[in-house]
Amino acid sequence: MEKIFPVLCILFLLLILTGGCVCLSKKASITPPRLRLTLPEVIYAVPGIESNIYFENVIDSAAFNAYAVEVKCERGTHGNSRWFWTPEKQDAGKTFDLELRLFNDYGRVAAARCKVVVAKEPADYKKKITLSLLADSGVNCLYPTHLLNVMREAGFVNYTPVGKHSGGGKKPVPGGIAHDGYGGFSWGCFLERWLYSAEELPQAQTEAEKEQMRAFGISNLPKSRSYMLRSPLLKLVNGKKTLDIPGWLKEINDGKAPDFIVIQLGGNDMFGAMEDQRQQRLAKTMKNARKLLTVLRKNLPDSIIGVTTGVCGCGQDGYGANYKCLQSQYQYRRNIQSYNLAIAELVKGLKDPKISLIPLNQCIDPDNSYLWGSYPIHARHRKKVIRDRNALHPSITGGYQLGDAIYCWLRKQLEK
């Protein structure tokens, strides 16, 4: 009995250890509850223009670097941080299936599929095309200028962007860019924003007028930025804010509906939400998005509308440079990934063949397409290193990538 006892003890310990290992393996192989891929259903492509999927941007997880990625597609190259492909002329009009798979040490944990759709050669390059852009400060990376240049280089000589200004409130000039992009704007701002500046208050003729100004809000924006005070879609009727789409069209396009409308919003709607506020903020944003899209469709039944996804931004250095500890890369990524999933569902649910999603988030390089700065390694070190200095505003090259994505969507629409 004395000889058998140690053997039984060893067997008992082995049994416990083996069971523990099996249990650990089973737990680790389960997909984390909130691991999602925000890959769009369609990625638009055009011969001669590079298409991208940056893996970091479409993995909705705080630990996106912890997963191995595998891409299955007939075309393109699977790189370390992205899938990329530049279609050739013979690819025009074709569609390719793409699958993105995620793995950890225990196997596959998630997968998503999309279609890469290559636009056909357009029938008429000389067709008159007008495009309106409703946007936030994302326009400051100059993607409207890049879009104009790419369209002209491709031979669309009668492509005309329309809007109230060309950037910074400057009046558009013939042959140049025009848009309705306003820093800080959200879906709700285009529906409701009507403020007065502190400079306007002393100009009020009556006490009643002053009271109305105060009721609508007074901003300290300098005169050079006063164009951002009010939505271009609103006017005052009997002292009440009223949507006025015909009045807006009269200002930007001689009263005519634009052929295309691109809406690039969402970042400001979701920016400040903390985790316990995210779902409430998301619900409000979708309500405003649905309302604006409904208003536009009612007034502009023939315009083709593209709604962009939001971009996740760069690394934490950029967030720290802009927001100190007030907002983090982690929280904003959580917010914008939720927005992207929700806006895709909203657009799909409208079942309007003239409203579609323009995927932007997957196409922009999170490591090399945002603004950089030179900073000391730390206070006691002489050497300087390059770090992100702006969390959400791309550099010019980032603007090129965003402009390319919108161009590819537009080219596909021009088939119709």
Side-chain angles (χ1 to χ4, degrees):
M1 186 67 181
E2 291 178 358
K3 293 180 180 180
I4 296 174
F5 185 76
V7 175
L8 290 174
C9 289
I10 292 171
L11 289 173
F12 182 72
L13 287 171
L14 285 172
L15 181 62
I16 293 173
L17 289 173
T18 303
C21 288
V22 171
C23 183
L24 178 63
S25 176
K26 286 181 179 177
K27 287 182 179 178
S29 65
I30 297 173
T31 303
R34 62 163 301 273
L35 177 60
R36 300 174 297 183
L37 293 173
T38 57
L39 198 64
E41 289 187 358
V42 177
I43 291 176
Y44 300 97
V46 168
I49 301 291
E50 184 182 75
S51 292
N52 292 283
I53 300 174
Y54 286 92
F55 307 140
E56 177 180 325
N57 293 348
V58 298
I59 302 173
D60 185 20
S61 169
F64 50 83
N65 288 320
Y67 298 98
V69 179
E70 186 176 83
V71 178
K72 296 294 182 183
C73 187
E74 290 182 44
R75 296 289 193 275
T77 300
H78 180 350
N80 184 50
S81 61
R82 63 172 179 151
W83 168 88
F84 57 99
W85 178 47
T86 303
E88 298 180 1
K89 285 186 178 181
Q90 59 266 31
D91 297 310
K94 296 180 181 179
T95 297
F96 301 95
D97 293 322
L98 183 147
E99 184 178 22
L100 191 150
R101 304 169 181 172
L102 289 190
F103 296 85
N104 63 15
D105 288 340
Y106 301 95
R108 191 168 80 176
V109 294
R113 297 174 180 84
C114 71
K115 292 189 180 297
V116 182
V117 178
V118 187
K120 298 177 183 177
E121 191 78 7
D124 183 9
Y125 278 99
K126 294 184 179 180
K127 178 181 173 64
K128 291 184 178 180
I129 305 165
T130 52
L131 183 143
S132 162
L133 174 62
L134 304 180
D136 57 28
S137 60
V139 295
N140 294 333
C141 67
L142 304 182
Y143 72 77
T145 302
H146 180 66
L147 178 60
L148 175 63
N149 292 339
V150 173
M151 287 291 284
R152 295 283 168 79
E153 288 167 6
F156 294 96
V157 292
N158 290 315
Y159 166 73
T160 304
V162 296
K164 292 191 69 172
H165 68 104
S166 61
K170 297 176 183 176
K171 189 176 180 180
V173 297
I177 65 165
H179 56 72
D180 283 294
Y182 305 89
F185 263 48
S186 62
W187 287 93
C189 286
F190 277 100
L191 292 167
E192 301 172 356
R193 185 180 177 98
W194 191 283
L195 303 175
Y196 289 93
S197 69
E199 293 178 346
E200 288 178 288
L201 187 60
Q203 299 171 14
Q205 298 298 309
T206 65
E207 199 57 42
E209 189 178 357
K210 289 181 182 180
E211 271 308 308
Q212 186 183 56
M213 285 184 173
R214 294 189 188 102
F216 281 128
I218 302 295
S219 171
N220 289 317
L221 280 176
K223 192 173 183 179
S224 62
R225 301 180 71 193
S226 61
Y227 71 98
M228 297 166 56
L229 288 168
R230 299 165 197 135
S231 166
L233 309 183
L234 291 175
K235 68 175 180 179
L236 281 186
V237 179
N238 297 326
K240 294 183 179 180
K241 296 178 287 185
T242 306
L243 283 164
D244 180 24
I245 305 301
W248 171 60
L249 295 179
K250 188 175 181 180
E251 285 193 67
I252 68 168
N253 198 32
D254 297 325
K256 300 174 184 176
D259 300 304
F260 298 93
I261 300 172
V262 173
I263 303 175
Q264 180 257 303
L265 297 168
N268 292 310
D269 300 79
M270 298 301 299
F271 176 78
M274 295 296 105
E275 195 60 26
D276 60 341
Q277 305 164 330
R278 185 164 53 89
Q279 290 305 321
Q280 184 178 0
R281 184 75 65 85
L282 188 63
K284 181 180 179 181
T285 300
M286 291 304 108
K287 182 179 179 181
N288 287 333
R290 183 183 291 275
K291 182 177 179 180
L292 182 55
L293 289 171
T294 301
V295 167
L296 292 174
R297 174 53 72 234
K298 181 180 178 180
N299 287 271
L300 311 169
D302 297 321
S303 295
I304 296 174
I305 301 173
V307 182
T308 75
T309 55
V311 298
C312 287
C314 63
Q316 181 57 44
D317 280 337
Y319 286 85
N322 292 155
Y323 313 117
K324 307 303 180 185
C325 297
L326 298 176
Q327 183 56 290
S328 67
Q329 180 201 31
Y330 162 75
Q331 186 61 62
Y332 186 76
R333 278 176 56 88
R334 286 275 282 162
N335 295 349
I336 209 65
Q337 296 282 27
S338 295
Y339 170 82
N340 287 345
L341 289 167
I343 198 67
E345 283 300 312
L346 174 61
V347 169
K348 187 176 180 180
L350 292 173
K351 296 181 180 179
D352 186 329
K354 292 182 181 179
I355 301 179
S356 56
L357 195 71
I358 305 177
L360 289 190
N361 189 41
Q362 89 294 334
C363 80
I364 184 167
D365 186 344
D367 297 319
N368 301 295
S369 285
Y370 288 84
L371 296 169
W372 290 335
S374 178
Y375 299 92
I377 291 178
H378 55 72
R380 296 296 186 181
H381 205 296
R382 294 181 181 178
K383 186 178 178 181
K384 290 188 175 183
V385 293
I386 300 298
R387 292 178 184 151
D388 292 312
R389 65 177 176 87
N390 197 299
L392 299 173
H393 295 94
S395 62
I396 291 177
T397 57
Y400 290 167
Q401 290 185 305
L402 298 182
D404 284 343
I406 296 173
Y407 170 70
C408 290
W409 170 84
L410 185 55
R411 278 287 305 271
K412 182 62 183 176
Q413 309 312 309
L414 288 170
E415 292 180 4
K416 308 170 186 178

